[in-house]
Amino acid sequence: MKVYEFLATGFEPIEAIGPVDILRRGDIDTKTVSITGDKLVEASNGTTVKADLLIEEADCSDADLLLLPGGMPGATNLNACMPLRQMLAAHHAKGRRIGAICAAPIVLGSLGLLKGRRATCYPGFEGHLAGAEYTGEMCTVDGNIITGKGPGATFEYAFTLLAALTGRDKAREVAAAMLCD
């Protein structure tokens, strides 16, 4: 299994690092990808994270899951990245999984990937979900799309991602080891 998570300036740190940590604990090959042209990416709170790859180096054709953390202006920066938009559209066309949390579902909405689907996001961004039924849930799964509500949903969202890739037993095992059961 392979997962790529995209980082833009202004991302929400817990929504980015939490899922990467949980997926890696679940033995999923998970890489962070900077869309900024620099592997060092500054989060919304000023924390700097070093990504594994630059988007120019990332071949996501073998990905099982593409992830978008929220945060502002991180989500709008992700939405403005044409190479990322193209990767997401191609990935979705293959029926592969996409995860987005907090404000990041706006990217999926702007691509038309949420039409006729159920989705959640940070309150106030519902109008950007373009054709989706807003659930208000902490985490919503609809087909190949998994959305999370915001920072407080990080653990539920991350364990849902892990369960989608490996099954519930593995997700429960990792949760128990993290004292999250």
Side-chain angles (χ1 to χ4, degrees):
M1 293 282 177
K2 286 197 174 183
V3 175
Y4 296 89
E5 179 184 71
F6 297 89
L7 302 177
T9 302
F11 69 90
E12 171 59 45
I14 194 167
E15 295 168 357
I17 302 306
V20 169
D21 181 23
I22 288 168
L23 292 170
R24 286 180 178 174
R25 287 173 190 255
D27 299 320
I28 303 294
D29 181 9
T30 305
K31 302 288 186 217
T32 54
V33 181
S34 169
I35 69 161
T36 70
D38 189 336
K39 285 188 179 179
L40 296 176
V41 186
E42 187 174 341
S44 59
N45 67 0
T47 302
T48 299
V49 172
K50 184 176 181 185
D52 298 308
L53 303 165
L54 298 174
I55 195 166
E56 298 83 4
E57 303 168 329
D59 174 8
C60 298
S61 61
D62 62 346
D64 296 288
L65 172 66
L66 299 181
L67 290 180
L68 305 176
M72 290 301 279
T76 54
N77 289 334
L78 290 172
N79 200 30
C81 179
M82 289 310 295
L84 173 59
R85 292 173 61 82
Q86 292 166 348
M87 284 180 187
L88 289 165
H91 192 76
H92 181 71
K94 294 176 186 173
R96 294 196 177 144
R97 290 183 180 91
I98 298 173
I101 187 169
C102 193
I106 68 171
V107 180
L108 307 182
S110 75
L111 288 167
L113 306 184
L114 298 177
K115 288 181 182 163
R117 293 182 180 265
R118 298 172 67 246
T120 194
C121 64
Y122 193 83
F125 287 88
E126 305 90 341
H128 299 280
L129 300 184
E133 174 191 337
Y134 174 70
T135 67
E137 298 169 337
M138 292 299 272
C139 186
T140 300
V141 179
D142 191 332
N144 65 322
I145 302 215
I146 301 170
T147 51
K149 192 170 186 175
T154 299
F155 279 94
E156 183 176 341
Y157 170 73
F159 286 120
T160 300
L161 295 168
L162 182 58
L165 294 170
T166 65
R168 290 182 185 202
D169 288 344
K170 182 67 171 183
R172 284 187 189 122
E173 175 188 318
V174 172
M178 293 179 68
L179 306 178
C180 293
D181 56 337

